[in-house]
Amino acid sequence: MDRVADQNGAGGFLYPAIAPFDQRTLDVGEGHRLYVEQCGNPDGIPVVVLHGGPGGGCSPAMRRYFDPQAYRIILFDQRGCGRSRPHASVEDNTTWHLVRDIETIRAALGIERWIVFGGSWGATLALIYAETHPDRAAALVLRGVFLMMQRELDWFYGGGAGAFWPEIWDDFVSLIPEEERGDLIAAYHARLFSGDRVQESRFARAWAGWENALASIHNQGARMEAPSDYARAFARLENHYFVNKGFLEEDGQILRDLPKIAHIPVSIVQGRFDMICPPRSAYDLAKALPHARLKMVHLAGHALSEAGITAELVKEMNALRLRRTALML
């Protein structure tokens, strides 16, 4: 779950746009090839950026949250989205494939430890990666926390968020026959994977449109139509992961395994009025981790690019520059 489109006002907090010093395609197996880029200082503090969705892809704006003189910034498109190939593919595409891919990238770039920066689904993946490889994550910087729990899916696809945006919710639900509306994730799954490209694209745009309309506190529910190819990858991948409950062993697995990362410093930036990933998950996460700090941003929603969220994330990354030795980076 994520949105990366710029919002007015965020740009004033960001570092200037930069170009990568390295771009490559990395073969990670099972026919998947990932787009990977590096920006900033080749000798700087390594930070890997995990985008949202699943299926959102990375963007040039994501490079700008880090001081390019201090950080070695690694971005990549996860399996099936962005510039990675095959596009919109869900074959051999699970949480555990992605965790393995992150390690493959780390090893290929010769990095021992790094800061893991992720928002929304990227926060989910960052936590699971750190719980799986606690010796590789020097620190976590998370935004718009999503714990891949049933309560969160019920909120967003079961009418919770729809109670605040009934007209947008009605548009999303109206494409599905009444008898199937008890499980909208399953109903959309049947259409996103129907084999009919026209139908898949139509329902993909509706799926992406519902989420995009609620991403920012500033957009007032505006329906922003995503490009067809982007929407298809985003919707198919996100739905695939949600149908399969994130490929986790049990609901609440991330919270269950938090003792594995109790030693890792964790910074959490959360919008108070996040309609996609409500603050309860961020609060529960911060409460359970001894080295976590939660910054609740008032008058902010979910989007990475909202001014208050952007400012706090840049502030946090600036602060971490001074802790390189303590973080053993």
Side-chain angles (χ1 to χ4, degrees):
M1 293 182 162
D2 204 3
R3 179 158 177 248
V4 298
D6 283 338
Q7 298 293 329
N8 292 334
F13 302 102
L14 297 173
Y15 283 93
I18 54 173
F21 66 77
D22 172 49
Q23 293 174 289
R24 63 181 76 185
T25 300
L26 190 62
D27 188 337
V28 291
E30 296 92 27
H32 284 274
R33 301 179 307 281
L34 303 187
Y35 169 80
V36 182
E37 68 175 41
Q38 300 187 79
C39 309
N41 183 353
D43 298 315
I45 302 167
V47 54
V48 62
V49 181
L50 305 182
H51 66 69
C58 61
S59 75
M62 294 178 180
R63 305 166 185 162
R64 301 177 60 193
Y65 288 77
F66 316 93
D67 179 349
Q69 300 301 314
Y71 283 103
R72 178 183 178 186
I73 309 153
I74 298 99
L75 291 86
F76 72 99
D77 291 327
Q78 296 162 26
R79 293 190 180 207
C81 67
R83 287 155 286 187
S84 294
R85 295 293 181 268
H87 190 68
S89 172
V90 300
E91 296 297 322
D92 296 304
N93 195 334
T94 71
T95 304
W96 306 106
H97 286 102
L98 301 187
V99 168
R100 191 185 74 192
D101 291 348
I102 298 169
E103 274 294 275
T104 299
I105 293 168
R106 184 194 59 76
L109 298 181
I111 294 170
E112 185 68 22
R113 285 158 50 83
W114 50 9
I115 295 170
V116 186
F117 179 102
S120 198
W121 163 255
T124 318
L125 187 57
L127 287 161
I128 296 170
Y129 170 76
E131 290 175 345
T132 307
H133 299 284
D135 54 331
R136 301 302 183 186
L140 303 181
V141 179
L142 311 177
R143 185 267 313 168
V145 171
F146 176 56
L147 297 176
M148 195 61 248
M149 296 179 69
Q150 189 61 47
R151 74 183 190 203
E152 296 163 312
L153 297 177
D154 290 344
W155 162 264
F156 200 64
Y157 297 104
F164 287 84
W165 295 96
E167 71 280 23
I168 311 293
W169 175 250
D170 189 56
D171 289 344
F172 180 63
V173 170
S174 65
L175 295 179
I176 302 298
E178 288 190 19
E179 61 272 17
E180 295 183 57
R181 293 179 186 174
D183 188 344
L184 287 172
I185 294 175
Y188 266 83
H189 183 82
R191 291 152 179 88
L192 290 169
F193 295 90
S194 67
D196 180 336
R197 187 62 177 262
V198 174
Q199 184 185 64
E200 288 180 2
S201 294
R202 179 190 178 206
F203 281 86
R205 287 193 297 270
W207 179 279
W210 162 240
E211 186 164 330
N212 281 345
L214 275 61
S216 172
I217 199 171
H218 301 293
N219 69 4
Q220 300 178 20
R223 297 164 176 82
M224 299 179 66
E225 184 110 342
S228 181
D229 283 350
Y230 172 87
R232 185 168 180 270
F234 178 83
R236 282 166 57 91
L237 286 167
E238 197 169 77
N239 182 277
H240 164 69
Y241 273 74
F242 295 168
V243 161
N244 288 286
K245 313 300 184 188
F247 300 93
L248 300 182
E249 295 171 3
E250 62 181 76
D251 196 46
Q253 179 176 330
I254 292 173
L255 293 175
R256 181 199 73 187
D257 290 345
L258 287 181
K260 297 178 180 179
I261 60 170
H263 62 290
I264 297 175
V266 180
S267 300
I268 305 166
V269 176
Q270 177 71 40
R272 170 69 73 184
F273 296 100
D274 189 333
M275 284 286 160
I276 297 174
C277 298
R280 178 182 171 187
S281 291
Y283 180 79
D284 288 350
L285 180 66
K287 194 173 179 181
L289 287 171
H291 299 292
R293 294 188 302 111
L294 171 61
K295 175 61 179 181
M296 196 73 73
V297 183
H298 296 281
L299 296 180
H302 183 71
L304 169 65
S305 53
E306 289 195 49
I309 291 174
T310 293
E312 290 298 331
L313 288 171
V314 172
K315 179 180 177 182
E316 185 58 36
M317 295 311 302
N318 285 345
L320 282 174
R321 292 176 307 188
L322 307 177
R323 300 180 60 194
R324 181 170 192 169
T325 301
L327 294 174
M328 294 183 292
L329 292 168

